[in-house]
Amino acid sequence: MRNILLLLEHKQNRNLLSQLLQQVGYEVIYPSPDDDLSNLHNSFDLCILGPVALDKFSDWVKATKKAEEPVFLPFLFITSRSDVKMITRGLWKTIDELITNPIEKVELQVRIEALLQRRELSLKLKDANEHLHNLNELKSRFISVASHEFRNPLHVILAYAQILYRGGEKLNSEKKKEFFTRIKSSAKKMNDTLDDVLILTKGELTLQKLNLQFLNLQEFCRLLVAEIKVGSAANQEINFTIQGQSKKAYFDENLLRHILTNLLTNAIKYSPLGTKVDFDLIIQDTKIIFEIKDAGIGIPLKDQSSLFESFRRASNVGKIPGTGLGLAIVKQSVDLHGGTIEVDSEVGIGTTFTVILPLIKGVDENS
Ligand code: ATP
Ligand code: MG
């Protein structure tokens, strides 16, 4: 926040002023006379200029100020007393402050500080505005998801509760049990969704420290795949393969579970019955690669970059239910683990998610 661009015609003045400014802690930039000023955009917080420069670059000054809006980019004009008289009112549209020669060091510093403070304030305001805007968008997405995702299970709960209340005596115990189970699973669904919302909004994942455990990856993944298969209504095929030497390594089990469960359930959910999901675990010396590949509906290119934000869903999901929270949780978990995630997808062909996590090796118990 303290870069000052000097556009002064006299070399001597420029050197003097530059020294003075550096003494009080500012960074000083001064281009040589035939430098292209357009390259300097974004590299300074305040520009000090003299009459010749103002005359020569007044269009550039206006354009540069405009380009930074709503952030305030100050221009301070240095002139001799005699010049001041010639200054027309219009000048105030271009410059923000004026100081006359001979320059009083303290006065100059006070003016510079006042201008820089105004700039800083406008920067903060812009940030605050953006933050509010993002929150507002998040809120709208949350409301739209909540109304979708809660309405269905709520209807189910209300309907079965009503049936049980009205005609409970006439129902045999088998039927009653079935209805209670439906109520329970709908309530569980809402509860799971709320859990996801809380994980993300309370920043539980971002604040959490890694809880590393010495895991047998192969075993862990095998069990997880089995669990997911049982949990998926269609009992869809997951083709699990392992490449590389099996190793025990340090992982946060909870995070790993978040990552793989979400990616695998997505792969199943977004592909038609009868297609296969490939899950490849590739163990290398310094990293672990998880590749989850499906032959499902794919993700339109324009949606791919925003999928890792909360409540974001692609435009082609149709009636497939979901909250758009899973991948946000996956992304935070991958980040916490110091890894990366990438998506490669084509609509109608399928999707591959690739997660790479650094390998934190312990004593290899297999050797
Ligand atoms: P949930 O919170 O229940 O997981 P969701 O599955 O909609 O809901 P995410 O897991 O965050 O949410 O995924 C975000 C979006 O990314 C999905 O809504 C879908 O549009 C798209 N998507 C994710 N994985 C796949 C996939 N394997 N194939 C096609 N689209 C996918
Ligand atoms: Mg999901």
Side-chain angles (χ1 to χ4, degrees):
M1 262 307 284
R2 315 191 66 81
N3 292 337
I4 297 182
L5 174 66
L6 276 190
L7 295 179
L8 293 180
E9 39 282 7
H10 298 296
K11 201 170 171 207
Q12 217 177 352
N13 288 353
R14 192 168 67 210
N15 288 347
L16 267 173
L17 191 61
S18 160
Q19 253 176 21
L20 197 147
L21 292 171
Q22 276 164 344
Q23 270 168 18
V24 279
Y26 301 112
E27 284 285 329
V28 180
I29 315 165
Y30 40 98
S32 49
D34 33 47
D35 261 1
D36 185 2
L37 289 183
S38 56
N39 292 337
L40 292 169
H41 175 56
N42 271 342
S43 63
F44 62 96
D45 303 295
L46 166 81
C47 172
I48 298 182
L49 71 176
V52 175
L54 184 62
D55 197 40
K56 197 164 149 199
F57 305 124
S58 79
D59 283 344
W60 170 80
V61 172
K62 281 180 202 153
T64 313
K65 267 182 100 61
K66 186 107 190 110
E68 287 238 355
E69 274 172 11
V71 174
F72 171 63
L73 182 63
F75 286 81
L76 169 61
F77 185 43
I78 295 197
T79 182
S80 65
R81 258 178 221 293
S82 56
D83 285 348
V84 176
K85 296 192 191 111
M86 305 192 305
I87 290 165
T88 57
R89 276 173 178 273
L91 188 67
W92 294 106
K93 291 196 181 122
T94 325
I95 60 155
D96 306 287
E97 184 61 277
L98 169 149
I99 194 163
T100 50
N101 269 320
I103 291 171
E104 187 57 52
K105 189 173 161 185
V106 179
E107 188 186 347
L108 177 68
Q109 206 185 345
V110 168
R111 298 216 174 161
I112 288 177
E113 279 305 314
L115 288 171
L116 286 180
Q117 268 173 27
R118 261 174 76 186
R119 175 169 169 80
E120 195 160 351
L121 222 90
S122 72
L123 270 166
K124 278 189 185 148
L125 250 160
K126 184 176 163 246
D127 279 354
N129 254 334
E130 274 173 11
H131 187 64
L132 270 177
H133 178 80
N134 288 344
L135 274 180
N136 226 344
E137 215 179 70
L138 194 73
K139 192 181 84 183
S140 324
R141 295 206 300 264
F142 173 68
I143 291 170
S144 110
V145 162
S147 50
H148 259 107
E149 287 303 296
F150 285 168
R151 191 155 278 162
N152 262 342
L154 264 179
H155 276 318
V156 172
I157 292 171
L158 285 173
Y160 286 112
Q162 191 83 325
I163 296 174
L164 287 161
Y165 179 74
R166 291 245 175 93
E169 322 81 58
K170 289 183 225 133
L171 296 167
N172 61 33
S173 62
E174 197 75 358
K175 266 276 173 266
K176 272 191 198 161
K177 210 166 160 189
E178 182 194 328
F179 291 174
F180 279 125
T181 311
R182 292 198 183 183
I183 289 177
K184 220 170 101 181
S185 74
S186 288
K188 181 176 179 309
K189 208 170 146 215
M190 290 173 72
N191 201 40
D192 288 349
T193 303
L194 270 180
D195 275 348
D196 283 354
V197 174
L198 290 182
I199 284 179
L200 285 165
T201 52
K202 282 201 325 203
E204 250 169 42
L205 283 178
T206 42
L207 294 177
Q208 179 187 313
K209 285 224 171 69
L210 275 186
N211 175 21
L212 294 176
Q213 279 158 296
F214 203 47
L215 281 188
N216 181 331
L217 260 189
Q218 198 169 340
E219 235 2 76
F220 177 81
C221 291
R222 227 189 272 289
L223 283 174
L224 198 72
V225 167
E227 258 173 51
I228 289 170
K229 265 194 205 167
V230 171
S232 85
N235 205 353
Q236 207 150 345
E237 191 70 44
I238 301 177
N239 188 20
F240 177 48
T241 69
I242 303 165
Q243 294 172 39
Q245 197 75 38
S246 155
K247 280 191 185 93
K248 271 193 152 189
Y250 284 101
F251 284 100
D252 185 313
E253 190 177 337
N254 191 24
L255 294 184
L256 206 55
R257 188 175 290 276
H258 277 315
I259 296 170
L260 297 176
T261 309
N262 276 307
L263 292 178
L264 286 167
T265 50
N266 276 350
I268 291 174
K269 182 162 76 166
Y270 296 107
S271 39
L273 278 180
T275 56
K276 254 197 247 146
V277 170
D278 287 320
F279 174 23
D280 295 335
L281 169 63
I282 303 157
I283 303 170
Q284 296 185 349
D285 259 359
T286 54
K287 60 187 183 215
I288 303 278
I289 304 168
F290 301 92
E291 226 174 65
I292 290 142
K293 184 175 175 185
D294 66 57
I297 61 170
I299 305 167
L301 200 60
K302 68 174 166 55
D303 298 326
Q304 287 181 14
S305 57
S306 55
L307 290 182
F308 298 106
E309 293 168 23
S310 317
F311 306 118
R312 286 274 193 200
R313 305 195 71 207
S315 45
N316 62 332
V317 289
K319 287 201 153 46
I320 303 172
T323 58
L325 288 174
L327 285 181
I329 294 175
V330 168
K331 177 75 170 83
Q332 287 194 6
S333 304
V334 169
D335 284 349
L336 255 174
H337 236 299
T340 58
I341 180 163
E342 267 170 33
V343 57
D344 179 15
S345 183
E346 207 174 317
V347 172
I349 306 282
T351 303
T352 305
F353 278 93
T354 308
V355 172
I356 302 181
L357 300 182
L359 188 64
I360 309 162
K361 260 189 281 185
V363 190
D364 196 336
E365 290 193 341
N366 290 334
S367 56

